[in-house]
């Protein structure tokens, strides 16, 4: 008699498949990104990101309330300043747009975990993540400004500081500044492994942070490199990072798994704007089942090793999980 394995025995019904399922998505996995600007009653949909908006603080209040009602536990805040300058001074201004948004969110929802994106690119007139001298990004000089930004965000009430600049030594500088300012309890979620990716295009529309000259390849990673990712992650852990992020996620699932296998801190996947926009465009054309594809994609990130996922799909995914998920 022919002998072979009966793998299908464990796939015979929905309940049987659920019984042996290895990876599950939970609402607690999602960090919901928001884009905030000054003004009143402002809700600008990002053309390349359907369903994602630039919001004034009054509109943000409603949006956050909806996210909380859906069971989302964490948000990450990006700011669009009214004015920009060479050093991005609005990033560390006590009354900057991100600082005001954090204060408002924590006042209304003290239990919500608020993550502050800590960078300069949205705030500098040149659109780079650090200061410029003779056309060159100055690493060490930029660290001082990034540390000031982190402290100002912690003072506003941020629960987590998430530096995304990829300057060498940024975790050390920010950790030291937070500790000195009395915020030793505030963790650092490092954008430790951030690639110079074509998948960021729609985000730059949303955050108005595209570089005005050159590119970011001298500080963001080459997409071809894998071993380098381990060096970046290791240095951030040594410098005091409490979370390690991999960005983008979908084309870097192997890197997420490598980071998970090699480090004992929580791993965060950033499901970036280009990944979001491709699915939205295909769904609007009727080419895909959006719900099934989004949940499958997010599950793949969890399966690869992500403990948390920053995703623009957060609110939709929360609704779909209430309906039964995959």
């Amino acid at each position: 008699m022919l002998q072979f394995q009966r793998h299908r025995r464990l796939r015979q019904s929905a309940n049987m498949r659920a019984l042996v399922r290895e990876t599950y998505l939970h609402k607690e996995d999602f960090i919901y990104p928001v884009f905030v600007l000054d003004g009143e009653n402002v809700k600008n949909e990002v053309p390349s990101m359907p369903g994602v908006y630039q919001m004034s603080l009054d509109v943000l209040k409603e949006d956050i309330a909806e996210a909380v009602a859906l069971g989302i536990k964490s948000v990450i805040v990006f700011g669009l300043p009214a004015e920009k300058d060479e050093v991005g001074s609005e990033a560390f201004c006590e009354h900057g747009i991100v600082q005001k948004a954090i204060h408002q969110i924590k006042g209304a929802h003290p239990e919500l975990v608020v993550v502050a994106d800590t960078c300069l690119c949205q705030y500098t007139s040149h659109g780079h993540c650090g200061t410029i001298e003779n056309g060159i990004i100055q690493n060490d000089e930029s660290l001082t400004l990034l540390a000031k930004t982190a402290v100002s965000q912690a003072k506003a009430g941020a629960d987590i500081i998430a530096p995304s600049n990829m300057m060498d030594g940024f975790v050390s500088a920010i950790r030291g500044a937070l500790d000195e300012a009395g915020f030793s309890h505030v963790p650092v979620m490092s954008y430790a492994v951030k690639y110079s990716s074509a998948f960021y295009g729609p985000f730059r529309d949303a955050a108005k942070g595209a570089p005005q000259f050159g590119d970011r390849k001298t500080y963001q990673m080459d997409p071809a490199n894998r071993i380098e990712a381990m060096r970046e992650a290791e240095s951030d852990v040594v410098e005091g990072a409490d979370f390690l992020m991999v960005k983008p996620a979908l084309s870097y699932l192997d890197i997420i798994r490598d980071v998970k296998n090699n480090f004992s801190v929580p791993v965060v996947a950033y499901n970036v704007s280009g990944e979001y926009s491709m699915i939205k465009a295909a769904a609007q054309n009727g080419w895909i089942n959006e719900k099934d594809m989004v949940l499958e994609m997010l599950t793949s990130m969890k399966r690869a090793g992500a403990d948390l996922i920053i995703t623009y799909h957060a609110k939709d995914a929360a609704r779909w999980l209430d309906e039964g998920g995959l």
Side-chain angles (χ1 to χ4, degrees), residues 266-311:
V267 177
V268 185
Y270 197 142
N271 176 208
V272 299
S273 59
E275 298 164 355
Y276 173 89
S277 295
M278 289 191 299
I279 284 184
K280 282 294 184 179
Q284 287 182 346
N285 279 284
W287 296 337
I288 61 168
N289 180 310
E290 182 179 0
K291 171 187 173 182
D292 288 352
M293 183 168 283
V294 168
L295 292 179
E296 181 178 343
M297 175 183 65
L298 296 176
T299 299
S300 77
M301 296 169 193
K302 280 290 298 287
R303 191 185 65 244
D307 299 288
L308 300 167
I309 304 170
I310 299 175
T311 178

Side-chain angles (χ1 to χ4, degrees), residues 156-174:
D159 297 292
I160 298 173
I161 299 299
S164 59
N165 55 89
M166 288 293 285
M167 296 292 112
D168 291 337
F170 68 94
V171 173
S172 179
I174 287 171

Side-chain angles (χ1 to χ4, degrees), residues 76-314:
I76 183 167
V77 183
F78 298 93
L80 287 78
E83 297 182 3
K84 302 186 180 190
D85 58 32
E86 285 292 307
V87 297
S89 57
E90 283 293 310
F92 46 85
C93 174
E94 182 179 346
H95 302 293
I97 185 60
V98 164
Q99 287 79 0
K100 289 190 289 188
I102 293 168
H103 183 75
Q104 174 178 291
I105 294 168
K106 291 301 292 184
H109 305 282
E111 76 289 351
L112 190 66
V113 176
V114 178
V115 185
D117 178 77
T118 308
C119 197
L120 300 176
C121 59
Q122 294 108 276
Y123 306 90
T124 55
S125 53
H126 46 73
H128 280 285
C129 302
T131 60
I132 304 290
E133 185 176 326
N134 298 322
I136 298 173
I137 293 91
Q138 302 298 302
N139 190 94
D140 296 6
E141 292 81 353
S142 301
L143 297 180
T144 300
L145 301 181
L146 292 163
K148 287 178 63 176
T149 301
V151 170
S152 73
Q153 293 168 337
K155 286 180 178 178
D159 297 292
I160 298 173
I161 299 299
S164 59
N165 55 89
M166 288 293 285
M167 296 292 112
D168 291 337
F170 68 94
V171 173
S172 179
I174 287 171
R175 181 73 273 159
L178 289 171
D179 292 351
E180 185 176 346
F183 296 104
S184 59
H185 60 285
V186 175
V188 174
M189 179 184 287
S190 171
Y191 285 63
V193 183
K194 183 178 180 180
Y195 287 90
S196 180
S197 173
F199 285 94
Y200 301 154
F203 176 90
R204 291 171 183 168
D205 290 341
K208 304 297 182 186
Q212 299 303 300
F213 68 91
D215 54 41
R216 295 176 178 150
K217 293 182 179 180
T218 66
Y219 46 102
Q220 294 179 357
M221 285 180 51
D222 185 333
N225 290 358
R226 182 177 183 182
I227 296 173
E228 182 185 9
M230 298 303 101
R231 296 200 300 269
E232 288 279 3
E234 182 177 16
S235 64
D236 285 4
V237 169
V238 169
E239 292 174 21
D242 301 281
F243 302 80
L244 294 173
M245 191 186 303
V246 177
K247 179 184 180 182
L250 194 57
S251 290
Y252 298 87
L253 297 177
D254 58 324
I255 307 301
I256 294 172
R257 173 46 58 187
D258 284 344
V259 172
K260 183 66 173 179
N261 286 346
N262 283 278
F263 302 97
S264 58
V265 299
V267 177
V268 185
Y270 197 142
N271 176 208
V272 299
S273 59
E275 298 164 355
Y276 173 89
S277 295
M278 289 191 299
I279 284 184
K280 282 294 184 179
Q284 287 182 346
N285 279 284
W287 296 337
I288 61 168
N289 180 310
E290 182 179 0
K291 171 187 173 182
D292 288 352
M293 183 168 283
V294 168
L295 292 179
E296 181 178 343
M297 175 183 65
L298 296 176
T299 299
S300 77
M301 296 169 193
K302 280 290 298 287
R303 191 185 65 244
D307 299 288
L308 300 167
I309 304 170
I310 299 175
T311 178
Y312 304 98
H313 296 288

